[in-house]
Amino acid sequence: MTIDHAPTSADIWIRPVPGSPSDQPGTDGSTDDREAETAARPTRLQQLFVEQGHSPWLDGFSRGDLADGTLSRLVTDGIRGVTANPTTFTRAMEGSAEYDEQLAWLTSTACSAEEAYGELLAIDTIAACAALQPVHRTSNGLDGFVSVEVAPRFASNTGRTIAAARELHRRIDQTNLLVKVPATAQGVPAIKRLVAEGRSINVTLLFSLTRYDDVIEAYLSGLETYISHGGDPSRVHGFASFFVARVDAEIDQRLQQRGASGAGVLCGGAGIAQAKLAYQMFNERFSGGRWERLARHGAHAQRLLWASTSPKNPADRDTRYVEELIGPQLVSTLPKRTTRAFEQHGRVTRTIDTGVQDAKEHLRSLAEAGIDMADVGSTLETEGVSGFQRSFEQAMAVLDAKML
């Protein structure tokens, strides 16, 4: 069913927590003292962008983060975008009363749990887009995005992915909305079609260089089609989300299972090595005659975004996957704990194009040890889609229980 008369203003459902910065008249969620302090002493998150042209985004937010000023404070501290995380959403519904009032209203309309999820997600996303709008405006549209995903069950269906992305853009009609589309074999043609319609897309679940090449081609071809139909490509923004730590976790497990010679040396290096080579591919594909023709029309490069930046190995430095992949035009999505860790002791130095030859050698050594990177990518893609689907199903189960 369609909920025709649902109150859609975020102000109706998201009210500032009394005493929070966002509850203070005339502020945008930050205090004058805090703004003065960060002006005098830039945060490491701010340094990351100002000194290196690298944008830190927040991975996951809840309605509580919107109501109590947490998101606004993080934006003041240097966060330049956010991605929606269904796991964070589910935990917020389970552990708080943040959504209860709107859920009660939705229950009275006899809508399904999935329809309720769409309404809740839309309200949160619209509010987050408002919080990030100043960043979007001052960056001339290059940052300040809020990224939300299409339902994961559509990952193997091109047509339904396209329809779901269109519906998200219709329902959440904000200039700084990004719709996440998985980089599956069926997702790639959907990306091309959506870009050809002038839609801003964040390609997610990238695990291999081969699939990344397909994603770049889909973006470039989509832009060319859009321009040929009279579209203005300066309004289109693209991101390609490469998962880093998950690659290491999968390869390390395979090395240990194989008992490969030199496994200890090879462990923990593949994710960063592959990301460095992805950046080389980015520079190659977004240069030269084909790209220059698009750029003359105002097209923006499809920026690389590092996802899965929290180490899976407890022995790793907690900021490793941020520090070792810093460079211009890049984005890193950070969970709150990684954001805090980076602010406390992160190193802000350009690292993305150092050790490129070592990265090539590392991947070559993995191949010699019997690690098939194409199979690693395929396995992780399947697991990633399944993981998103489980998160979605958990959200539905929580909503079903609350709507009884």
Side-chain angles (χ1 to χ4, degrees):
M1 64 174 283
T2 300
I3 304 172
D4 294 323
H5 305 293
T8 55
S9 171
D11 294 335
I12 294 173
W13 304 115
I14 304 177
R15 302 183 184 91
V17 174
S20 71
S22 59
D23 195 32
Q24 305 305 313
T27 73
D28 61 356
S30 58
T31 65
D32 291 342
D33 288 345
R34 189 178 185 83
E35 289 173 345
E37 180 184 352
T38 55
R41 180 186 57 79
T43 67
R44 283 187 172 90
L45 293 173
Q46 290 170 337
Q47 287 178 297
L48 195 58
F49 177 73
V50 172
E51 297 177 10
Q52 302 299 332
H54 188 117
S55 298
W57 288 14
L58 179 67
D59 182 14
F61 69 97
S62 70
R63 184 162 293 187
D65 295 328
L66 297 164
D68 69 8
T70 295
L71 181 57
S72 292
R73 284 193 297 271
L74 286 168
V75 170
T76 297
D77 288 344
I79 286 294
R80 300 182 62 80
V82 297
T83 58
N85 183 319
T87 301
T88 302
F89 178 83
T90 303
R91 287 173 183 163
M93 282 195 297
E94 285 181 309
S96 75
E98 295 165 4
Y99 296 93
D100 288 357
E101 184 180 359
Q102 190 181 0
L103 269 175
W105 188 90
L106 289 166
T107 301
S108 73
T109 70
C111 70
S112 68
E114 186 166 345
E115 289 163 340
Y117 177 84
E119 291 294 315
L120 298 173
L121 179 66
I123 292 298
D124 285 2
T125 303
I126 290 168
C129 283
L132 270 296
Q133 189 59 235
V135 178
H136 191 63
R137 184 174 59 253
T138 57
S139 67
N140 294 318
L142 296 179
D143 263 325
F145 288 97
V146 180
S147 181
V148 297
E149 63 190 306
V150 297
R153 69 179 184 281
F154 301 148
S156 61
N157 187 311
T158 300
R160 295 191 73 181
T161 293
I162 292 169
R166 288 171 177 163
E167 174 59 17
L168 281 170
H169 276 288
R170 183 199 66 78
R171 178 179 285 186
I172 308 168
D173 186 18
Q174 303 293 316
T175 58
N176 54 337
L177 172 70
L178 282 177
V179 172
K180 284 194 276 188
V181 174
T184 58
Q186 298 83 4
V188 170
I191 294 158
K192 179 179 177 180
R193 177 65 177 273
L194 291 164
V195 172
E197 294 177 359
R199 302 182 190 278
S200 294
I201 301 298
N202 177 13
V203 182
T204 189
L205 295 180
L206 267 172
F207 297 101
S208 74
L209 295 172
T210 301
R211 185 52 56 82
Y212 177 44
D213 193 48
D214 295 338
V215 165
I216 295 175
E217 179 59 35
Y219 182 70
L220 295 175
S221 298
L223 285 177
E224 288 166 342
T225 299
Y226 186 53
I227 290 170
S228 72
H229 293 161
D232 176 7
S234 69
R235 300 168 62 88
V236 181
H237 296 271
F239 295 79
S241 297
F242 236 97
F243 284 58
V244 187
R246 288 194 197 179
V247 172
D248 279 341
E250 175 67 20
I251 289 177
D252 291 358
Q253 182 181 39
R254 294 187 182 205
L255 286 169
Q256 291 160 7
Q257 288 173 345
R258 295 178 66 88
S261 175
V265 175
L266 292 174
C267 281
I272 287 171
Q274 184 169 243
K276 286 179 180 284
L277 297 186
Y279 186 69
Q280 297 297 306
M281 187 182 294
F282 166 82
N283 285 326
E284 291 167 5
R285 296 297 301 273
F286 291 97
S287 63
R290 183 185 186 186
W291 173 246
E292 288 169 4
R293 286 190 292 275
L294 290 169
R296 282 196 293 271
H297 286 277
H300 303 288
Q302 183 188 50
R303 295 167 66 188
L304 270 166
L305 181 154
W306 309 130
S308 183
T309 56
S310 293
K312 310 300 182 187
N313 184 347
D316 279 342
R317 180 176 168 84
D318 55 3
T319 52
R320 178 190 178 211
Y321 290 107
V322 183
E323 294 171 337
E324 296 192 35
L325 295 173
I326 294 175
Q329 298 192 72
L330 297 172
V331 176
S332 288
T333 57
L334 317 178
K336 286 180 186 174
R337 65 181 181 277
T338 306
T339 301
R340 290 191 296 267
F342 189 81
E343 190 52 46
Q344 291 167 0
H345 51 257
R347 295 187 288 248
V348 182
T349 304
R350 179 166 174 158
T351 50
I352 188 60
D353 38 21
T354 61
V356 173
Q357 189 57 43
D358 291 340
K360 293 177 180 178
E361 292 293 336
H362 189 90
L363 295 187
R364 188 175 298 118
S365 296
L366 285 172
E368 292 172 354
I371 301 300
D372 183 343
M373 292 299 289
D375 185 67
V376 168
S378 177
T379 297
L380 288 172
E381 179 185 296
T382 300
E383 291 178 354
V385 171
S386 296
F388 277 166
Q389 181 62 29
R390 285 193 299 273
S391 294
F392 184 77
E393 289 169 355
Q394 288 167 1
M396 294 305 102
V398 172
L399 280 169
D400 276 331
K402 280 184 170 275
M403 294 176 73
L404 288 177

